[in-house]
Amino acid sequence: MEMPGIARLLSLMLASLLLDSARGLHHASQRTFEIDYKHNRFLKDGQPFRYISGSIHYFRVPRFYWKDRLLKMKMAGLNAIQVYVPWNFHEPQPGQYQFSEDHDVEHFIQLAHELSLLVILRPGPYICAEWEMGGLPAWLLQNESIVLRSSDPGYLAVVDKWLGVILPKMKPLLYQNGGPIITVQVENEYGSYFTCDYDYLRLLQKRFRYHLGNDVILFTTDGAQHEMLQCGTLQGFYATVDFGPGANITNAFLIQRKYEPKGPLVNSEFYTGWLDHWGQPHSTVTIEAVVSSLHDILARGANVNLYMFIGGTNFAYWNGANMPYQAQPTSYDYDAPLSEAGDLTQKYFAVRDVIQKFQKVPEGPIPPSTPKFAYGKVALKKLKTVEESLNILCPTGPIKSLYPLTFIQVKQYFGFVLYRTTLPQDCSDPTPLSSPLSGVHDRAYVSVDGVPQGILDRSGVITLNITGKAGATLDLLVENMGRVNYGDYINDHKGLISNLTLNSSVLTDWMIFPLDTENAVRHLGGWHGNNSRCHGKACAYGSSNYTLPAFYVGNFSIPSEIPDLPQDTFITFPGWTKGQVWINGFNLGRYWPARGPQMTLFVPQHILVTSAPNTIIALELERAPCSDNYPKLCTVEFVDKPVISAAVTYSHPLQDVYNQHSGLDHI
């Protein structure tokens, strides 16, 4: 072919490509999602549309399982998912962002898009979600005068910076731009917070519009009570409500109608279950209550989001807490239609049957529950106490201070800090060590010269009698058990937040060790023996109820010749008391079988290997089933069924402010 012919052919191909591209852009610009106020409904591409959505938190489900869970949601008949974005999960240190692997929210949203699921986005900046500090980064508290969730300039400056990072990532994923995001929530249940700062909401509105444009629907969510919507919404936001089974549906939507006389009815959080606290019975909501209310909501033509459709897991230190102080456990199962491990439940099929009465559900097989494997018992040996591991846990050495410093002041946001001083007087007789202002946040494991003395606790144990000689070393290992995520007390400082007294005299001259457990676990994994030294009385019991906080290690192999292994499993802690556990360096979370209701921790298969032994490291804080004095074996066991609803051995009356808007108090 002659050169002019080739040129002509190339120009024709280019013209064709440009035409296709223009058609694509035209098609994207034709995509619309809007409110039809005249007919009280949404319009998607000009057609009437109602969403039936379910909540899933990508930060509580390993990326390995995102597609499995989303597909199960789709097969239940949902046409949308609702998802929070926790700021602290993506910006753990100021200006240091994490958006890869399990933090890859864009990939998660794209997966939903590939499965033809629409997305209701809830990017905060505050999210609640029973998540550490409601998703706000703890480092915000470095500004001691900060007023969270308000138009305080110090707070707004960092919020503005964060929104300038997250919202531009979301813009290409908006429905109008060819993505799946149909609506975006601003803040979260703001009407439940004391500030009631309309300037703050106006400033958020301005920033969301700046980054996302004027076409996307911005909405708010509040409990179905007048006083909550009064402070929770603003002109320019579409006001929605949340309520659970047992609530009066007519009244709840009448409250929405007071603020939105026209437009679609929306329950943004219809509770399929409820959250748990350590020491409280596992929360459940009956299938009958869920399906009855869900049917009534859908029969009114309302839009609904099921919170949660799958709860997932608070891995590592990510659980939240409520006031009066009660921490939430590692499991966020929520009694949802899909279990913590993504298993199909009776509630799943019952919900699917209700949805089927109102819209077509996809045909074809539902992905099955993942197989579980009981790997059996694994022996753990004591490695080192926390005290003996300080060179690894705190390689830079301690910070010295006349009075105790908080976690924030030593730039330690999660986990543990060791506070050390010496006894200024002889305490041969039991002498009261006290935190008069209840300043131990949240739990302190106390020892004198390596002899365990007992525990001080934010929830009520503010005095402990200790013994020891003048000049003896007093150690308090303080645990952050999770920051408050709801209500007026989310500015939750950790550590020793006020002075301790010994026999009414203030203790001074502290050495403070911020402990890097994640780094230490990487080092400790290579050790295999009992390297703990007994010096003096270091291995004696100060009380038969306690052993020193210490690391224990064990290994187990999964045969590579057995097909389909590894599989998901659950780890249980017979005879152990309270602590933290890692497998192959992955921080699974907290265990506390002595309190319950959660007895097993979910172990997803992707953290296990067949190519080498799997390493378990437990940091037992209170009492291990074995000790230096009694060489009984310490074992953990891998089982194939979860136990998250054991009888609790402790009860702390929780005046649950949460329930004020949930509707669950009617059940």
Side-chain angles (χ1 to χ4, degrees):
M1 188 185 287
E2 294 175 3
M3 287 301 289
I6 293 172
R8 198 162 48 249
L9 182 63
L10 286 171
S11 66
L12 284 168
M13 287 170 68
L14 183 60
S16 172
L17 284 168
L18 288 169
L19 187 62
D20 287 345
S21 174
R23 280 181 186 141
L25 284 169
H26 180 62
H27 179 66
S29 68
Q30 281 183 323
R31 287 167 63 95
T32 57
F33 194 86
E34 55 204 347
I35 293 171
D36 177 357
Y37 286 97
K38 191 176 177 184
H39 299 99
N40 301 326
R41 63 193 181 187
F42 289 114
L43 294 177
K44 179 171 159 281
D45 301 331
Q47 298 301 308
F49 179 79
R50 183 249 293 271
Y51 67 71
I52 303 175
S53 165
S55 285
I56 175 173
H57 297 159
Y58 62 91
F59 42 95
R60 283 185 163 121
V61 176
R63 178 182 176 134
F64 181 85
Y65 275 131
W66 286 350
K67 196 163 189 178
D68 172 81
R69 310 304 194 248
L70 289 169
L71 192 51
K72 286 170 179 166
M73 294 175 80
K74 181 183 172 68
M75 296 307 291
L78 303 180
N79 55 14
I81 62 164
Q82 191 188 75
V83 62
Y84 279 129
V85 179
W87 179 4
N88 55 8
F89 191 63
H90 294 286
E91 192 179 0
Q93 304 277 349
Q96 294 180 14
Y97 300 105
Q98 295 182 346
F99 286 106
S100 61
E101 298 175 345
D102 285 353
H103 300 75
D104 193 345
V105 58
E106 292 158 282
H107 176 66
F108 177 79
I109 293 170
Q110 286 286 10
L111 274 179
H113 193 30
E114 287 167 21
L115 292 171
S116 301
L117 285 165
L118 297 167
V119 173
I120 298 156
L121 186 72
R122 310 171 94 186
Y126 163 84
I127 64 167
C128 184
E130 290 75 67
W131 188 254
E132 232 279 330
M133 206 167 144
L136 297 175
W139 49 259
L140 292 175
L141 300 176
Q142 285 170 6
N143 175 351
E144 291 181 14
S145 63
I146 198 166
V147 183
L148 302 171
R149 303 178 71 194
S150 78
S151 55
D152 167 39
Y155 177 66
L156 278 181
V158 282
V159 165
D160 195 31
K161 192 177 172 198
W162 164 241
L163 294 179
V165 172
I166 188 62
L167 295 182
K169 289 177 180 291
M170 298 297 103
K171 188 174 183 181
L173 298 166
L174 296 177
Y175 188 78
Q176 294 85 338
N177 298 333
I181 298 171
I182 51 172
T183 59
V184 177
Q185 182 182 303
V186 178
E187 245 280 349
N188 188 73
E189 294 180 332
Y190 189 60
S192 304
Y193 194 58
F194 73 92
T195 43
C196 193
D197 184 343
Y198 295 118
D199 285 340
Y200 170 53
L201 291 180
R202 283 187 199 98
L203 286 158
L204 286 181
Q205 187 177 71
K206 203 171 163 187
R207 301 318 288 159
F208 273 68
R209 285 283 170 227
Y210 174 80
H211 290 296
L212 299 178
N214 293 322
D215 295 335
V216 66
I217 296 167
L218 300 180
F219 74 100
T220 57
T221 298
D222 283 285
Q225 294 182 23
H226 289 296
E227 58 273 21
M228 291 181 176
L229 274 99
Q230 196 174 345
C231 285
T233 194
L234 191 72
Q235 191 172 358
F237 294 143
Y238 191 76
T240 74
V241 291
D242 52 31
F243 56 87
N248 184 316
I249 297 169
T250 302
N251 284 354
F253 281 136
L254 278 173
I255 288 165
Q256 187 195 355
R257 275 284 170 252
K258 186 178 176 189
Y259 290 85
E260 296 292 354
K262 296 287 184 183
L265 295 173
V266 180
N267 181 350
S268 289
E269 290 186 7
F270 171 69
Y271 304 107
T272 61
W274 199 239
L275 58 122
D276 284 346
H277 296 100
W278 292 115
Q280 295 286 315
H282 173 56
S283 298
T284 58
V285 176
T286 66
I287 293 171
E288 294 73 26
V290 170
V291 298
S292 169
S293 288
L294 179 61
H295 184 279
D296 289 354
I297 290 167
L298 293 176
R300 292 163 195 257
N303 299 263
V304 65
N305 172 70
L306 283 72
Y307 187 103
M308 298 293 298
F309 203 87
I310 171 172
T313 309
N314 296 315
F315 293 115
Y317 303 117
W318 285 115
N319 65 278
N322 283 306
M323 292 295 287
Y325 189 80
Q326 278 230 285
Q328 292 132 15
T330 303
S331 172
Y332 193 64
D333 178 87
Y334 213 84
D335 195 32
L338 289 172
S339 76
E340 175 185 8
D343 293 342
L344 306 167
T345 66
Q346 287 180 301
K347 194 176 277 185
Y348 175 93
F349 291 103
V351 164
R352 188 174 185 267
D353 287 345
V354 172
I355 293 171
Q356 213 158 14
K357 292 174 183 171
F358 295 91
Q359 64 187 38
K360 195 170 172 4
V361 304
E363 292 174 5
I366 299 167
S369 299
T370 55
K372 311 295 185 294
F373 198 83
Y375 298 101
K377 292 181 178 175
V378 179
L380 268 58
K381 290 180 183 173
K382 184 176 173 185
L383 267 182
K384 281 177 177 281
T385 64
V386 166
E387 181 192 346
E388 292 163 346
S389 311
L390 285 178
N391 60 327
I392 303 166
L393 285 161
C394 186
T396 55
I399 296 154
K400 293 179 180 174
S401 176
L402 184 62
Y403 299 112
L405 300 172
T406 66
F407 274 43
I408 294 297
Q409 287 169 322
V410 298
K411 291 187 164 51
Q412 172 89 2
Y413 305 125
F414 302 100
F416 304 89
V417 171
L418 182 79
Y419 293 81
R420 172 173 288 175
T421 188
T422 52
L423 296 184
Q425 64 187 74
D426 187 69
C427 302
S428 300
D429 295 324
T431 307
L433 174 71
S434 292
S435 174
L437 301 176
S438 192
V440 174
H441 286 198
D442 299 304
R443 199 168 171 86
Y445 308 92
V446 183
S447 64
V448 175
D449 271 354
V451 179
Q453 304 290 311
I455 289 165
L456 292 171
D457 184 271
R458 173 177 181 167
S459 301
V461 186
I462 61 168
T463 300
L464 173 70
N465 285 327
I466 64 170
T467 57
K469 294 192 169 83
T473 299
L474 171 67
D475 279 349
L476 290 93
L477 178 65
V478 179
E479 178 186 9
N480 165 6
M481 285 178 53
R483 286 184 179 82
V484 173
N485 57 263
Y486 178 83
D488 297 350
Y489 301 101
I490 54 173
N491 56 335
D492 188 11
H493 286 272
K494 299 300 186 184
L496 298 183
I497 68 162
S498 59
N499 285 323
L500 293 188
T501 61
L502 184 67
N503 214 7
S504 302
S505 296
V506 171
L507 288 168
T508 57
D509 300 316
W510 291 90
M511 290 199 292
I512 302 159
F513 299 80
L515 305 185
D516 184 349
T517 50
E518 305 314 293
N519 185 52
V521 161
R522 284 190 286 273
H523 282 82
L524 291 168
W527 298 356
H528 299 291
N530 185 333
N531 294 318
S532 183
R533 317 180 297 283
C534 291
H535 43 82
K537 285 176 139 187
C539 295
Y541 284 122
S543 154
S544 60
N545 292 330
Y546 300 102
T547 53
L548 282 174
F551 292 97
Y552 298 78
V553 69
N555 295 289
F556 70 103
S557 294
I558 300 172
S560 54
E561 60 272 14
I562 299 179
D564 300 327
L565 289 185
Q567 287 174 355
D568 292 350
T569 185
F570 302 91
I571 186 171
T572 185
F573 300 85
W576 300 75
T577 310
K578 182 184 193 306
Q580 199 81 19
V581 65
W582 292 259
I583 296 183
N584 296 332
F586 182 90
N587 191 336
L588 276 181
R590 307 174 207 264
Y591 64 87
W592 201 355
R595 188 154 292 186
Q598 179 178 4
M599 306 299 280
T600 59
L601 269 64
F602 173 53
V603 183
Q605 69 168 72
H606 76 290
I607 69 169
L608 302 173
V609 295
T610 56
S611 56
N614 295 273
T615 301
I616 308 164
I617 292 180
L619 169 56
E620 172 58 50
L621 298 165
E622 294 188 20
R623 183 183 172 88
C626 54
S627 74
D628 300 289
N629 295 0
Y630 306 99
K632 180 187 164 194
L633 217 54
C634 272
T635 59
V636 295
E637 186 174 2
F638 290 97
V639 295
D640 55 10
K641 289 185 178 60
V643 181
I644 56 168
S645 56
V648 293
T649 55
Y650 167 91
S651 188
H652 181 86
L654 184 73
Q655 301 141 18
D656 196 353
V657 291
Y658 245 171
N659 275 342
Q660 288 175 7
H661 72 268
S662 71
L664 293 181
D665 46 337
H666 301 294
I667 294 177

